[in-house]
Amino acid sequence: MKKILTGNEAVALGAYESDVRVASAYPGTPSTEILQNLAKYEGVYSEWAPNEKVAMEVAIGASMTGVRVLTTMKHVGLNVAADPLMTLAYTGIKGGFVVACADDPGMHSSQNEQDNRFYAKFAQIPMLEPSDSQEAREMVKEAFELSETFDTPAMVRLTTRISHSKGVVSTPDPSLRNSTTPKGFERDLKKFVMLPGHAKLRQPRLLDRVEKLQAISETTSFNRIEYNERKIGIITSGISYQYVKETMPSASILKLGMTFPLPVGKIRSFADEVTTLIVVEELEPYLEEQVRMLGLDVKGKEFFPTTDELSTDRVATGFARAGVLETAVPPVTPPPPEANMPRPPLMCAGCSHRGVFYAIKKLKGIVHGDIGCYTLGVLPPLQAIETCVCMGASISMAHGTAKAMEKDIKGDKRPVFAVIGDSTFFHTGINSLTNVVYNNSNVKVIILDNRITAMTGAQQNPGTGKTLQEEQTTAIDMEKLVTALGVKRVRIIDPYDLEETLAAMKEEASLDGPSVLITKRPCIQIMRGAPEKIFEVNGKNCIGCGMCQKLGCPAISLGDEITGGRKNGKTALKQSVIDPTLCTGCSLCEQVCKPGAIQEK
């Protein structure tokens, strides 16, 4: 039986077939759908964790009972989970342990572009890189075998094109699921308690394990040589293999699926058989550097870009630069024509964050932002946030700014705000707020509670009252949590009420000490049904002042010129128009329209 699956769906299938019993993750594009699909299989406990470190630790605890476990995350999530991972490489595992980590070349939905192949080398754990959905399924199964055979966590590294592209996958009868018998938790202090004395005993085992894994890397079918014309030999892995096959079908290829440890003998053997050796890989010269360290004459990044995704066009251009193709292959897809007015990314019509940013901008404070839909608050016309670094950093950064201003920049009296979403607050914002309280910082924290993890596609989180499977559970009361951390000034406001929102911000900004405003409104994307009301512009009253345009609502656009020729400089003023199919009835435009031209329809 065959199915067409995305790479993420194939990873979930492979994990299920491997008898995974526990899976934990924090949603992060492009990895999110792995757990969403795994949750559909019976016999697997799957959950959203507050962050990737917690997810990794949940998996570690489950593995210690002997069950097979999976944890998934995007590339930046592995930064959060790196602490337990590095020590897990020392302790080893009991039940098979696989980390499925998805990089995002091109930063389609990420704050940086990093190559997590280096993490596997850093932690000294085996790493497999699928080049299509079929391999995604097979490599997950192989990763569990490697994990248990060599007492190590194993990593399956995906990229956006592998995670989200679809391919044919062979799917045997689900009843053939490999069934293992967990041994249960057993006391083993020297293995699982990493006191320095115990860790020193484990370290030689880790190094010995790498040697044994290297022998596997030499013989595994995932590392294979495809000999053709031997003038050009190409070493490649992952999605790059597909681009190479398409652009240089006559070349010899060493296709690497297990990329840590590398098959040194196979690489040397391949290099001996070809005239010119070239490495084609996305992002960093991970393979190229290690091949060069073997003393081999190899080319790579002088012809192929280090940033962004590769494609058949970019790979063909690289081969042309290397002189192994006479000319670059014409683009398979013609580039889109340049738009005169490309549509900028915008918050949705009716987004509950819009009113917060509109109000906060009026206070002319310093606003530290965070990771989420609300990062779009940096764009015109709102332009309300000024920083964004990583998950949960807004509160810590605001604390640093406030302390620096308090100590060294006494003339600057601007209020310091931190803006963070509900899911991100649960992710890593709680510790930061603890620090603010503990060190008595004059920071005003605004938690944008839209009742969901919106950025990655509306996943549940500890504040929503539902699990990954949509089952009812205890919803963490954010107000009580914040109060328990020691914040004395906490209040909940409605971000659709501009007057209340602005007044609350002004009041908190005027007072010393930490405070928290929780803006509570469900994400417009999880609301069901037609809006209770929509708004329209009364052309007789619209003076073209543009106040409603400053909200940046995609439902509002410019219409006809104002009758009578009123102008702003040389530009004729135009009336605003509300698209009734986009309006959600949030009423923010009505509240900012001083002439009263915007009215309920």
Side-chain angles (χ1 to χ4, degrees):
M1 182 179 178
K2 295 183 177 180
K3 289 184 177 180
I4 298 178
L5 301 177
T6 65
N8 284 347
E9 290 170 333
V11 169
L13 175 63
Y16 171 73
E17 291 175 332
S18 301
D19 198 28
V20 161
R21 303 288 180 88
V22 174
S24 186
Y26 182 80
T29 306
S31 70
T32 307
E33 298 82 7
I34 297 174
L35 216 65
Q36 288 177 320
N37 282 282
L38 185 58
K40 299 174 184 175
Y41 293 105
E42 292 185 3
V44 184
Y45 170 74
S46 304
E47 66 167 27
W48 291 131
N51 64 41
E52 296 83 358
K53 179 174 180 288
V54 172
M56 180 80 70
E57 291 160 351
V58 168
I60 291 172
S63 170
M64 287 179 175
T65 70
V67 303
R68 288 185 165 184
V69 299
L70 177 75
T71 182
T72 72
M73 58 201 68
K74 67 183 296 181
H75 62 298
V76 290
L78 192 53
N79 298 334
V80 181
D83 192 8
L85 175 65
M86 291 298 166
T87 303
L88 180 64
Y90 274 58
T91 67
I93 53 83
K94 193 169 180 183
F97 194 113
V98 172
V99 183
C101 184
D103 287 5
D104 186 17
M107 293 179 279
H108 296 284
S109 57
S110 306
Q111 64 269 41
N112 71 25
E113 184 179 69
Q114 63 188 51
D115 192 329
N116 277 6
R117 293 180 297 178
F118 289 102
Y119 262 115
K121 187 172 184 292
F122 190 16
Q124 303 279 288
I125 61 174
M127 176 175 63
L128 301 171
E129 279 192 79
S131 61
D132 57 28
S133 296
Q134 178 68 50
E135 281 196 341
R137 166 183 171 259
E138 293 172 359
M139 287 187 177
V140 167
K141 300 173 76 171
E142 177 65 14
F144 279 107
E145 296 301 322
L146 291 173
S147 174
E148 292 184 344
T149 301
F150 295 96
D151 187 19
T152 176
M155 179 172 164
V156 175
R157 186 246 190 182
L158 307 151
T159 55
T160 303
R161 293 300 154 189
I162 298 296
S163 288
H164 290 168
S165 296
K166 290 196 171 186
V168 177
V169 176
S170 297
T171 57
D173 186 342
S175 64
L176 297 179
R177 183 186 190 196
N178 178 33
S179 181
T180 56
T181 304
K183 297 179 181 177
F185 186 88
E186 296 172 331
R187 182 184 174 94
D188 191 342
L189 300 183
K190 289 185 178 179
K191 177 174 172 60
F192 291 127
V193 181
M194 282 302 95
L195 295 168
H198 294 173
K200 287 176 182 176
L201 294 175
R202 297 293 303 181
Q203 194 174 37
R205 296 190 182 194
L206 183 151
L207 299 176
D208 178 63
R209 183 178 74 205
V210 173
E211 286 188 18
K212 293 176 179 174
L213 284 166
Q214 191 152 15
I216 297 295
S217 188
E218 297 285 356
T219 58
T220 177
S221 60
F222 292 129
N223 292 338
R224 66 173 184 266
I225 295 175
E226 300 172 3
Y227 279 124
N228 287 298
E229 295 177 4
R230 305 200 179 195
K231 185 177 180 181
I232 305 298
I234 302 165
I235 301 176
T236 188
S237 67
I239 191 65
S240 302
Y241 167 75
Q242 307 292 355
Y243 303 143
V244 168
K245 289 287 286 184
E246 189 166 339
T247 54
M248 291 285 286
S250 61
S252 293
I253 298 173
L254 170 52
K255 191 247 185 226
L256 296 176
M258 184 173 181
T259 47
F260 186 83
L262 286 176
V264 173
K266 188 167 283 185
I267 291 172
R268 288 189 184 281
S269 174
F270 181 69
D272 288 342
E273 295 293 326
V274 299
T275 305
T276 300
L277 190 62
I278 299 175
V279 172
V280 179
E281 56 189 326
E282 270 186 337
L283 300 182
E284 300 294 326
Y286 169 81
L287 297 175
E288 182 183 339
E289 288 180 356
Q290 294 182 77
V291 172
R292 185 164 287 128
M293 288 175 66
L294 298 176
L296 299 174
D297 182 13
V298 63
K299 304 179 188 304
K301 286 302 176 185
E302 60 263 57
F303 306 124
F304 302 95
T306 304
T307 60
D308 209 346
E309 291 187 294
L310 292 182
S311 64
T312 50
D313 299 342
R314 299 185 93 192
V315 169
T317 301
F319 283 133
R321 288 175 183 160
V324 298
L325 275 179
E326 290 187 1
T327 56
V329 176
V332 175
T333 305
E338 292 187 11
N340 292 328
M341 293 182 64
R343 180 187 179 278
L346 291 170
M347 287 184 285
C348 303
C351 176
S352 58
H353 305 328
R354 180 170 283 107
V356 174
F357 288 141
Y358 183 84
I360 204 171
K361 190 176 180 183
K362 290 182 174 296
L363 298 180
K364 303 186 185 305
I366 298 170
V367 184
H368 290 283
D370 220 296
I371 303 292
C373 298
Y374 45 91
T375 309
L376 297 175
V378 72
L379 299 174
L382 293 167
Q383 294 181 301
I385 68 170
E386 292 153 303
T387 69
C388 180
V389 174
C390 66
M391 295 283 281
S394 61
I395 301 175
S396 304
M397 293 167 64
H399 170 75
T401 298
K403 285 299 180 184
M405 291 171 64
E406 175 184 313
K407 185 176 183 297
D408 299 318
I409 315 173
K410 297 185 184 300
D412 192 342
K413 300 298 181 185
R414 287 178 292 173
V416 181
F417 293 95
V419 180
I420 188 170
D422 50 339
S423 186
T424 313
F425 179 70
F426 288 121
H427 182 279
T428 37
I430 297 173
N431 286 349
S432 301
L433 183 59
T434 303
N435 190 45
V436 164
V437 175
Y438 174 61
N439 287 301
N440 192 29
S441 183
N442 191 21
V443 167
K444 317 303 172 187
V445 177
I446 302 174
I447 302 176
L448 306 172
D449 184 1
N450 64 0
R451 318 303 301 146
I452 206 72
T453 308
M455 178 178 62
T456 48
Q459 287 76 38
Q460 306 296 339
N461 67 54
T464 64
K466 290 185 179 179
T467 67
L468 168 60
Q469 292 81 8
E470 301 285 326
E471 297 169 345
Q472 294 294 326
T473 186
T474 301
I476 304 300
D477 188 318
M478 196 173 293
E479 184 179 13
K480 290 182 178 177
L481 172 62
V482 169
T483 303
L485 290 177
V487 180
K488 296 178 180 176
R489 296 186 60 81
V490 186
R491 73 167 95 174
I492 297 174
I493 57 175
D494 180 357
Y496 276 1
D497 188 333
L498 272 181
E499 186 176 349
E500 179 195 26
T501 300
L502 182 57
M505 289 181 183
K506 280 183 177 178
E507 181 178 350
E508 297 306 326
S510 68
L511 301 172
D512 289 332
S515 67
V516 172
L517 292 175
I518 301 172
T519 70
K520 188 166 287 190
R521 269 279 178 180
C523 170
I524 197 68
Q525 294 298 335
I526 63 173
M527 302 296 286
R528 297 288 184 267
E532 294 180 359
K533 56 186 177 182
I534 59 175
F535 289 84
E536 63 181 357
V537 177
N538 184 333
K540 295 180 180 178
N541 296 337
C542 181
I543 61 174
C545 65
M547 288 300 294
C548 57
Q549 301 287 337
K550 294 181 179 180
L551 290 167
C553 177
I556 304 174
S557 60
L558 291 174
D560 298 333
E561 292 184 5
I562 300 293
T563 303
R566 285 196 63 211
K567 293 184 178 180
N568 182 7
K570 295 182 179 179
T571 304
L573 297 178
K574 295 183 177 181
Q575 291 181 344
S576 291
V577 177
I578 297 176
D579 184 341
T581 63
L582 294 178
C583 180
T584 65
C586 72
S587 83
L588 291 180
C589 56
E590 180 194 34
Q591 295 179 57
V592 302
C593 182
K594 294 179 180 176
I598 296 179
Q599 304 165 351
E600 187 175 342
K601 190 172 183 178

